[in-house]
Amino acid sequence: MRKKIIAANWKMNKVPMEAKDFAAELAPLCATPDVDVVFCVPHVMLCPVRKSTTPNGIGLGVQNMHFDEFGAYTGEISTPMLEHFGVTHAIIGHSERRQYFNETDEAINKKTKKAIAAGLIPIVCVGESLAQREANITIEHLRIQTKLAMVGISATDAEKIVIAYEPIWAIGTGVVATTQQAEEACASIRTVLAEIFDEPTAQKIRIQYGGSVTPDNAADLFAQPNIDGALVGGASLKLDFAKIVNYKG
Ligand code: PEP
């Protein structure tokens, strides 16, 4: 039985003082042993947010990190730099980073491996565009993205990875995938994982759905056999996020 993992992706929102107050209010509402909860915040908010995540058993995530440790990479942040901030998770390859910052599958694979080596849990994002869905190549696209992200990763390390299936057309649009679309895509990713690794490993890897998740649609999505939680953007900026975490009521 896979434990659900529900992660907040604050993206580039809030300022540190606001983040501190918000996390202090939200974290106790999200404290539960039933679900793994993670707040993925901008790097400059790790310190203020950590004050509330740690005591409430909530993970602390970054939204990006570099695959090298040091060097001439202006503006980047590496895993040794994150070490002292209690970071537990890293979102890797979010579609916004693929789209606006030209992140390649190769870089995403390197970042995934680096996160694991640094003891972080990578939340690796995959997902199709609307054009790809309309062209009926969603499953093929997910297969390619998943395979490229997993290159050179052992089955033992793969068990630590979380995959976030995020259809690009559903991110921040208010248009959520139907439970059938989300389940079909997540199931197809699990099939690919079984091909890359083996069936027992694929059964251990958690696959989230992301894209306009709200308290109204979370329980239906989470009832699907291959959906093991969510990556939540917009709704994670409000106390509503706690309702998603406590979806069982
Ligand atoms: C996201 O940022 O990963 C996301 C899914 O955003 P939203 O929930 O706003 O669609």
Side-chain angles (χ1 to χ4, degrees), residues 9 11 94 96 125 166 170-174 210-213 231-235:
N9 176 12
K11 309 195 186 189
H94 191 281
E96 287 155 11
C125 302
E166 298 209 305
I171 297 178
T173 58
S212 299
V213 173
L231 182 56
V232 185

Side-chain angles (χ1 to χ4, degrees), residues 1-6 32-37 206 228-229:
M1 184 68 179
R2 294 178 296 268
K3 191 176 183 184
K4 296 263 189 286
I5 172 162
I6 302 179
T32 167
D34 300 338
V35 175
D36 285 343
V37 181
R206 292 181 293 178
D228 306 315

